[in-house]
Amino acid sequence: MKLTFRAVEEAEPGQKLSGLFSEYRTAYLNWWAGEGLSGRPTYAECRRALSAYMPEIMGVYDQLCASVGGGDLEARFLSFYCPPRYLAGCSQAIWQGREPLLVRNYDYNPSAFDAVFLKTGWGGRQVMGTTDGLFGLLDGINDAGLTVSLTFGGRRAMGDGFGVPLILRYILQTCSALDEAEDVLRRVPCHMSYNVTVLDRARNFFTAYLAPDRPTVITRAAVATNHQERVEWTSHARLTASVERERFLLQRLTLHPETKEKFTGSFLKPPLYSLAFDRGFGTLYTAAYHPCDLSVELLWPDRVWRNKLGQFETGHLGVDYPDFQRQPLP
């Protein structure tokens, strides 16, 4: 199985994003409507929610909607408001050395993945990161050095709120400091439970536990896998080896001081690196974000793809994955 990763730059929503959306339109809208449109909010409801919680990005939202044709379903999809359920694996951690470094694995279904690393300059703010639904971000960094990444929080609860990738985009578009990001994560409702780690250039960080049915909890956790303060969805934690991955990372941080290269390399091997593609939790990429020089490394076991916010290079990279039909759980 092969995916082609693309590094794309577009300062304002235009032809490049429109072209990408056209490629994915059928998959995006089928997913959005897959449980029936009666269960999804109307365009008016989506717009009201965005205006109430994220007014600063309404202009970009309108530009994006226009660039992809201005249709009702497209606009509802791009709002990320009350989307269908989606689950991911993922591990992320802050290196214990002096230099700020956030490393994460994204474990998900390859057939539901953009495979786009996008640099934008929306509203004058420089942002780069791995997209989800093109508007949202799975991880990323902005020109203030603020870095964010997400993992699924391991709970079944759903509620009225936004898909977390748009919340990450909103943080990077509007925040320059850790306290501003914390305010967003406390204020903006998330439709499912997620863990969001935020790191700045001074190596200050926190991990927020988001949930649709209880207040956000801000912690000093340097590690996040697929549960929050305790395991609440046992079968999912077992399927994704969430506890085992958390213990492995905590052990590396507390018992084994190591170079940043060795720490990053540990994400490319079990138990962090997953081959569970048959269950929808195979590792699609590893990302290592360096806030001090605003750079990122996208990594796979046999290659590294580097990029930098101030010297962004577009291009594409083919990545081969194992035949997921024959791969056991890690």
Side-chain angles (χ1 to χ4, degrees):
M1 182 180 60
K2 186 169 187 174
L3 284 178
T4 299
F5 277 72
R6 287 176 278 191
V8 177
E9 180 176 3
E10 191 166 52
E12 298 293 338
Q15 291 185 348
K16 292 180 182 178
L17 283 178
S18 175
L20 288 169
F21 195 92
S22 294
E23 290 183 38
Y24 297 133
R25 174 181 270 104
T26 298
Y28 285 162
L29 300 188
N30 285 348
W31 172 76
W32 181 260
E35 299 172 353
L37 287 176
S38 62
R40 303 274 72 79
T42 65
Y43 169 68
E45 290 169 332
C46 293
R47 190 173 185 84
R48 279 197 299 270
L50 277 170
S51 296
Y53 291 103
M54 306 185 198
E56 300 93 334
I57 63 171
M58 286 300 297
V60 172
Y61 170 70
D62 287 339
Q63 285 180 278
L64 276 171
C65 290
S67 74
V68 303
D72 175 78
L73 275 182
E74 288 86 350
R76 292 158 74 182
F77 170 83
L78 285 169
S79 77
F80 279 74
Y81 186 58
C82 296
R85 178 192 301 267
Y86 49 88
L87 310 178
C90 311
S91 309
Q92 60 198 29
I94 306 293
W95 181 52
Q96 294 296 84
R98 288 187 175 183
E99 175 188 331
L101 169 65
L102 187 153
V103 186
R104 68 98 93 256
N105 276 4
Y106 184 64
D107 304 342
Y108 199 53
N109 186 339
S111 66
F113 176 51
D114 289 353
V116 172
F117 195 78
L118 177 66
K119 182 192 173 185
T120 55
W122 300 341
R125 169 71 84 183
Q126 302 292 308
V127 174
M128 68 177 181
T130 315
T131 69
D132 185 64
L134 294 183
F135 196 10
L137 291 171
L138 303 168
D139 45 68
I141 187 170
N142 69 14
D143 50 20
L146 207 61
T147 304
V148 295
S149 182
L150 65 86
T151 74
F152 176 57
R155 301 180 68 242
R156 296 175 184 268
M158 291 187 67
D160 291 343
F162 295 92
V164 71
L166 188 62
I167 299 176
L168 265 60
R169 163 64 73 179
Y170 180 58
I171 289 171
L172 293 182
Q173 287 299 136
T174 63
C175 300
S176 299
L178 221 62
D179 59 343
E180 296 170 345
E182 179 179 334
D183 176 69
V184 168
L185 293 167
R186 290 188 186 277
R187 177 177 58 80
V188 178
C190 188
H191 89 300
M192 291 187 69
S193 296
Y194 279 87
N195 309 322
V196 175
T197 299
V198 185
L199 172 69
D200 71 11
R201 271 178 158 165
R203 206 185 165 279
N204 301 307
F205 66 89
F206 66 78
T207 294
Y209 297 147
L210 310 184
D213 56 343
R214 61 195 188 197
T216 294
V217 175
I218 303 295
T219 77
R220 285 284 300 162
V223 169
T225 53
N226 302 127
H227 58 280
Q228 297 188 335
E229 294 175 293
R230 60 185 176 85
V231 171
E232 298 178 61
W233 189 354
T234 305
S235 60
H236 184 273
R238 186 180 303 118
L239 176 68
T240 61
S242 182
V243 173
E244 292 80 0
R245 287 182 286 117
E246 179 188 54
R247 287 174 179 166
F248 176 82
L249 280 168
L250 288 172
Q251 190 173 50
R252 298 197 81 87
L253 295 181
T254 58
L255 300 180
H256 303 289
E258 57 192 359
T259 65
K260 60 185 178 182
E261 292 80 11
K262 189 171 182 180
F263 179 69
T264 302
S266 69
F267 282 77
L268 299 172
K269 297 179 252 186
L272 302 181
Y273 188 83
S274 171
L275 293 175
F277 292 100
D278 58 333
R279 309 287 183 90
F281 296 113
T283 298
L284 298 181
Y285 67 93
T286 299
Y289 282 93
H290 303 268
C292 281
D293 65 355
L294 307 181
S295 70
V296 64
E297 297 159 340
L298 299 180
L299 304 103
W300 296 268
D302 59 348
R303 64 190 64 193
V304 180
W305 199 13
R306 295 179 174 86
N307 226 319
K308 198 167 185 178
L309 195 61
Q311 298 173 318
F312 194 84
E313 296 185 7
T314 61
H316 62 273
L317 179 71
V319 178
D320 291 302
Y321 296 94
D323 183 350
F324 63 88
Q325 295 292 337
R326 295 197 294 269
Q327 295 304 322
L329 283 171

